[in-house]
Amino acid sequence: MSRLKDLKTPVFWAEGHPGKLDRESWIVSVDGFCKNPKIFTWQDIVSIPKTIVDARLTSVTRFSVRGKWGGIKISDVLDAVEAHDEARYVRFWSVRNIYDTSIPIDVVRKEKTILAYEFDGEYLEEDYGGPIRGFCPYLWGYKSAKSVVKIELMDRYVSGFWELRGYPDDALITKGRVHDLNQGGRIRYIPDGEVTTFIDE
Ligand SMILES: Nc1nc2c(c(=O)[nH]1)N[C@H]1C(S)=C(S)[C@@H](COP(=O)(O)O)O[C@H]1N2
Ligand SMILES: [Mo]
């Protein structure tokens, strides 16, 4: 069991569950509009200073789960590859290259957007996008690609897996009901934007 499982966090793999993934041999390649494309190994990633973000993953399917997501700031990755000024969007690809999603670079550079490998001090398991996933609490959960293998710096926007199937490209979180998994799935009301508080009705 893991903390996310204990909280009954849904496991979404629209493209099918990838099965067992090997943490120690994991690599994330970063290329596109940058001066210095790079391949980050698992060891490279865990040797970059860790950031811990206390924030919520909130799905358009109306669940929200809060915890301490540990990983590295994607802005550090962008600096390491020396992103060009033309890079305006960051495209994340999940293992097997079926699921992708893209986020404006200014949102990616915000401090809570990370490449996450931990939740509440435990390594992420495959079900929840381990070894390494995107995590962006500012937008709906479909922008947080699981088990990321490739990051592309783009000069233009392309719709990803869920965006091509009808979900909004901007993925702005909109007010309404969510099931708060930290309170046993209790229904709470959220305002627009990153979920940091609830509204009492
Ligand atoms: N590869 C991949 N990443 C994905 C998804 C998916 O189906 N496949 N679902 C997205 C959606 S809609 C949400 S809400 C979150 C859910 O994360 P979880 O499955 O860890 O709860 O992952 C996102 N990343
Ligand atoms: Mo979602």
Side-chain angles (χ1 to χ4, degrees):
M1 286 292 265
S2 66
R3 175 83 178 135
L4 281 164
K5 196 138 280 174
D6 289 340
L7 293 168
K8 299 193 167 62
T9 308
V11 175
F12 288 162
W13 280 106
E15 73 275 46
H17 196 292
K20 178 92 192 96
L21 303 174
D22 187 53
R23 187 171 281 122
E24 297 292 320
S25 63
W26 199 257
I27 57 170
V28 180
S29 65
V30 185
D31 61 26
F33 282 79
C34 61
K35 190 174 168 193
N36 181 31
K38 254 173 97 81
I39 288 175
F40 292 82
T41 64
W42 168 256
Q43 284 73 24
D44 292 335
I45 288 169
V46 293
S47 62
I48 294 170
K50 181 163 70 178
T51 293
I52 295 177
V53 171
D54 185 346
R56 287 181 168 274
L57 174 70
T58 304
S59 176
V60 69
T61 64
R62 300 278 167 192
F63 76 78
S64 181
V65 64
R66 176 183 178 173
K68 294 189 172 70
W69 299 83
I72 60 171
K73 285 187 188 148
I74 307 185
S75 61
D76 289 343
V77 173
L78 300 182
D79 293 342
V81 300
E82 301 178 64
H84 289 327
D85 291 342
E86 293 96 311
R88 294 179 52 225
Y89 293 92
V90 180
R91 186 178 196 179
F92 298 84
W93 285 97
S94 295
V95 65
R96 297 188 297 163
N97 298 295
I98 303 166
Y99 192 99
D100 75 295
T101 192
S102 296
I103 307 181
I105 200 159
D106 50 308
V107 179
V108 169
R109 283 199 181 276
K110 291 175 85 164
E111 58 171 357
K112 294 187 211 172
T113 306
I114 65 171
L115 278 181
Y117 52 80
E118 280 180 9
F119 182 85
D120 281 357
E122 300 170 344
Y123 281 149
L124 290 175
E125 59 196 314
E126 291 84 357
D127 281 356
Y128 297 110
I132 296 165
R133 72 178 293 166
F135 174 66
C136 180
Y138 306 107
L139 301 172
W140 288 127
Y142 59 87
K143 293 292 186 182
S144 293
K146 294 163 70 163
S147 306
V148 167
V149 289
K150 183 175 159 78
I151 294 174
E152 269 182 279
L153 307 191
M154 311 277 290
D155 64 343
R156 69 201 158 94
Y157 180 77
V158 283
S159 296
F161 186 96
W162 277 124
E163 296 87 350
L164 287 170
R165 289 163 177 79
Y167 284 115
D169 287 304
D170 61 14
L172 296 175
I173 295 172
T174 49
K175 65 174 186 284
R177 293 150 63 101
V178 296
H179 293 272
D180 179 12
L181 301 186
N182 298 76
Q183 296 184 69
R186 177 182 161 203
I187 290 179
R188 306 288 316 261
Y189 292 81
I190 57 166
D192 289 336
E194 183 196 354
V195 182
T196 56
T197 52
F198 295 107
I199 304 168
D200 286 318
E201 271 231 314

